[in-house]
Amino acid sequence: MPVVTDVGPVYEGSDGRYYTDWQVQRKLDAGEWRPCLRERGTGRRLVATDDGTLVMLVPTTLEALPEWVEVRAAGRVARAVDTRRSAP
């Protein structure tokens, strides 16, 4: 599988998950998340989920991702995948 190097920001969520910029924007556009705060200097974002839970998103580098996180890209879509989880 080719190594992905340019996917935009990758975020570490306070919920223990990792998200690409595409995944964050998709959740915001779909209304699953609501933006609360955005710190432009650091890129950190705070979002609220459907049930009101707050999730802090902190930008990280591809090199800093845990070994179980794989970034998969197809065209303009890039997803952070937890390889420990099995697909439903």
Side-chain angles (χ1 to χ4, degrees), residues 29-73:
D29 291 347
E32 292 178 48
W33 286 354
R34 289 184 327 277
C36 296
L37 295 170
R38 186 173 191 175
E39 191 174 59
R40 294 204 187 271
T42 64
R44 294 187 308 175
R45 301 174 81 161
L46 184 66
V47 296
T49 65
D50 282 343
D51 66 3
T53 302
L54 294 175
V55 178
M56 175 64 73
L57 301 170
V58 179
T60 189
T61 64
L62 291 175
E63 296 78 27
L65 294 175
E67 63 183 33
W68 47 266
V69 175
E70 186 177 294
V71 175
R72 298 179 185 166

Side-chain angles (χ1 to χ4, degrees), residues 1-11 18-23 60-63 65-74 77-83:
M1 178 174 281
V3 175
V4 178
T5 57
D6 187 21
V7 297
V10 177
Y11 297 94
Y18 290 81
Y19 304 91
T20 63
D21 194 46
W22 178 83
Q23 288 172 301
T60 189
T61 64
L62 291 175
E63 296 78 27
L65 294 175
E67 63 183 33
W68 47 266
V69 175
E70 186 177 294
V71 175
R72 298 179 185 166
V77 175
R79 297 179 300 120
V81 177
D82 183 340
T83 59

